Each structure stands twice: as structure tokens, then as C-alpha cells.
Amino acid sequence: MGSEARKRSREKLREQREKEKRAAKRNRTLIVVGAAVAVVVLIVGIGFAILNSDRSNGYDGPLAAQTLQDDGSVVMGEEGASAPVVEVYADYQCPACRQFELLNGDVLKQQAAEGNAIVHYRTVSIFAQQPVPTSSNSLRAAAAGRAAADHGVFVEYNDLLFENQPNAENEGYTVSNLKEWFRETDATEEQAAEFDERLDAEAAVVTEFTEDFLPDLTVDATEQIGEENIGPMVLTDLISWGADNGHDPSFLEGTYTGEIIDATGTAYTRYSGENEFRGTPSVYINGELLDNNTAMTARGLKEAIASAGDGEVDTRPMGEDDGGDTE
């Protein structure tokens, strides 16, 4: 074999070895990736199994009485019941709130129906300052839930809203869907007509707030007081600043949208210290904030209710005068 032939032979052998090395490396990578995916699937599967193993078995019995409160919140409890008060702060666009509802919604219904708890639903919108559609989804659903409370079907409608929660990045909770879901609560045609009228008005307010008022206010405030000062501000404080600086919020007065924004601002000041409201879902029993391990499991929530003493609702039923008894 000549020198040139030997050179070509060595070059061909080198290329073959390089090809084999690349193939071996690719195979090792596929094995590692496959193992990693298997581990992730296993972990997710275990987590899902654990969550579902601690879910309530469901509750199909009658609901305790629902009473609309003067601040727009809703209390569910048997008449004259003396029991721990479970406050639930939730945002309809919050995925963790949906998870809480799936895990413990029926627990709360059953506990209230059996007289073991008084459930105080406090709808808020922690996403109201986020860009559209997250903000508009959150506020539109909250206003719809508040309108449903006018007709005594808040709890039933609450279930439907969480069941149909949209992706935060997509427009959801459309007016047409919200109207359709209200009819699934067995509301009368008269109630549905009233709900539709109110929802149309609220949807217009939400659009004005999220697409015009708040963006303009935020730009102006950023220029005048700086982004570093806006960041820590509660939305109601920013709106108050705007009212003093040429941004008229009067279009929110008397609306359920404004009521939800006010309720959210109040949530941040109602409790302090270890019980301070930080986000949703937040679950309190007699004013004590539950940790996630307790609130997000059926067993934990039931045990917390069973070990608590009687509580007191700190709001009054809608239309009750100042001298009335608080439920």
C-alpha cells in the first residue's frame, strides 16, 4: 500500500471513530434527558396523587344560608350558628385560589351546612394593576360574582367561575360566558335579566379602568413621584393620589368594580404582623392566618376548624342598620 493510500485509510478510520463518538454522546444525552423527564413525571404524578388523596369526597347536600354583607362580601352559615369563622380571600384569576376551591370548596360547604363553621367569602382583585387581560379578567369575574350575590347564588356561581378560570395571558371571563354561567345556577329569567344589565354596566367600567384610567394614572404618577414609590403603594392609595392630581375616579362610585378595589385595599390593612394579608388565597380562622400546609389540604382545614373556638363575623348583613346584631 502506498503512502497516499495509507493516508486516506487513516483519515477514513479517524472519521469513522469521530462518528461513533458523536453517536455515543448523543445516546448518552438521550438517556439522561429521558431519565430526567421520567423523574419529573414521577414527581408531578406523586404530587397530584398526594393532593387528590387528601381532597374531600365531595358534598352534594343543601347549602347553608347565604347572606350578602354591607361591604359586598358573603357569609354562608346556618341561622343562629355559633362556630369558628373561616374567611376566604380569593381572586378569580388566581390559579392557587382555583386549587384551593378544588381541594376545599366542598369541605367549607359541608362544614357550614353542619353548623361547624361560618364561612366568610371575601372576593378581592390582587391582579387589578396587572396588564390587560389579567386585570380585566380578574375584575370582570369579581364584579360578576358580586352581582350573583344580589340574587342569593354567590356560592354556586363562585364554583362556576373557578371551574372555568381562563389562562392569565388570554382574555377570558367574557361577558357572554359570565351571563351563560349565571343561568346554570337555576336563576329565574327575571334574575338573569337583572344580572345581565348589571354585568354590562360593570364590564364597561372595567374596560375604562384597565385600559384608560389606570394606565394614564400610572404614567403620571411614575413621572411625578417615581416608580420606586408606586411599587409599594396599595391600589386604593394610588387612586387617592390620582384624585388629588387630576385623575377623577368618580366613575367607580356605586359600582361593584369599585367595591372590589376597595375591598382589596381593606384586605391589606385589616390584619398585621404574622396575620398580614399578602396575597391569595388567604384563609383565616377567627382572624388567624392559616399556613399553606393547613389551608391547602382537606384534612388540615377540617382539623383547624375542629380545634377553633366560636368566632364573630365583623360585617353586617346588607340593609341592616347600625344598631342591628352582627351575624
Side-chain angles (χ1 to χ4, degrees):
M1 181 183 291
S3 61
E4 189 63 31
R6 286 195 297 272
K7 183 177 179 181
R8 286 196 300 270
S9 179
R10 287 196 299 270
E11 183 65 23
K12 187 175 182 180
L13 181 60
R14 185 186 65 79
E15 291 177 355
Q16 181 63 30
R17 287 174 176 172
E18 287 296 324
K19 183 184 294 185
E20 290 173 354
K21 287 181 181 179
R22 289 195 296 271
K25 183 177 180 181
R26 183 171 62 252
N27 289 339
R28 287 196 300 270
T29 301
L30 290 173
I31 290 171
V32 171
V33 171
V37 170
V39 169
V40 170
V41 170
L42 179 62
I43 291 173
V44 171
I46 291 173
F48 184 78
I50 290 173
L51 283 175
N52 278 278
S53 68
D54 196 37
R55 290 179 67 166
S56 119
N57 292 326
Y59 176 71
D60 295 325
L63 297 177
Q66 302 177 46
T67 306
L68 177 62
Q69 303 294 289
D70 57 3
D71 64 349
S73 60
V74 173
V75 170
M76 177 174 66
E78 287 301 304
E79 185 177 354
S82 294
V85 175
V86 183
E87 290 179 276
V88 180
Y89 289 83
D91 184 320
Y92 289 115
Q93 189 60 82
C94 164
C97 296
R98 182 178 187 273
Q99 188 65 32
F100 173 81
E101 173 67 20
L102 291 175
L103 290 169
N104 277 325
D106 284 343
V107 170
L108 293 176
K109 294 172 191 171
Q110 185 168 3
Q111 292 289 306
E114 294 177 353
N116 298 324
I118 299 169
V119 183
H120 197 165
Y121 294 96
R122 293 188 180 275
T123 303
V124 294
S125 179
I126 64 170
F127 295 125
Q129 284 178 269
Q130 294 297 310
V132 172
T134 303
S135 56
S136 52
N137 287 351
S138 172
L139 284 168
R140 199 163 44 245
R146 172 62 182 83
D150 282 335
H151 303 287
V153 291
F154 170 84
V155 176
E156 298 91 331
Y157 197 65
N158 177 75
D159 290 349
L160 291 165
L161 288 174
F162 278 122
E163 179 182 331
N164 293 283
Q165 184 185 83
N167 184 299
E169 297 178 357
N170 299 324
E171 182 179 0
Y173 291 135
T174 64
V175 171
S176 59
N177 283 337
L178 291 168
K179 290 178 179 179
E180 177 185 342
W181 298 332
F182 182 75
R183 284 157 175 78
E184 293 181 23
T185 66
D186 295 327
T188 66
E189 281 304 315
E190 182 180 357
Q191 289 174 323
E194 292 176 0
F195 177 88
D196 290 355
E197 183 178 359
R198 184 73 198 219
L199 183 61
D200 286 337
E202 294 296 331
V205 173
V206 169
T207 298
E208 181 177 354
F209 180 81
T210 58
E211 298 184 15
D212 297 318
F213 177 82
L214 187 58
D216 291 346
L217 170 59
T218 302
V219 169
D220 195 12
T222 300
E223 293 176 351
Q224 295 196 44
I225 61 178
E227 187 174 354
E228 67 280 4
N229 292 316
I230 296 176
M233 291 178 73
V234 174
L235 178 56
T236 46
D237 292 338
L238 178 60
I239 293 173
S240 294
W241 178 89
D244 295 332
N245 290 273
H247 298 272
D248 183 10
S250 61
F251 71 98
L252 292 170
E253 293 177 3
T255 70
Y256 292 163
T257 305
E259 186 176 88
I260 294 295
I261 292 171
D262 287 341
T264 308
T266 301
Y268 284 102
T269 60
R270 178 171 284 114
Y271 298 111
S272 60
E274 294 182 353
N275 295 318
E276 180 182 12
F277 173 81
R278 300 177 182 87
T280 56
S282 286
V283 183
Y284 295 79
I285 293 184
N286 296 343
E288 297 291 326
L289 179 64
L290 301 185
D291 60 63
N292 283 339
N293 290 333
T294 301
M296 296 299 285
T297 62
R299 183 183 302 109
L301 183 58
K302 288 178 183 177
E303 290 177 351
I305 292 172
S307 63
D310 294 346
E312 184 176 349
V313 175
D314 64 358
T315 54
R316 292 187 302 274
M318 183 71 73
E320 185 176 88
D321 60 33
D322 293 344
D325 296 331
T326 302
E327 284 194 1

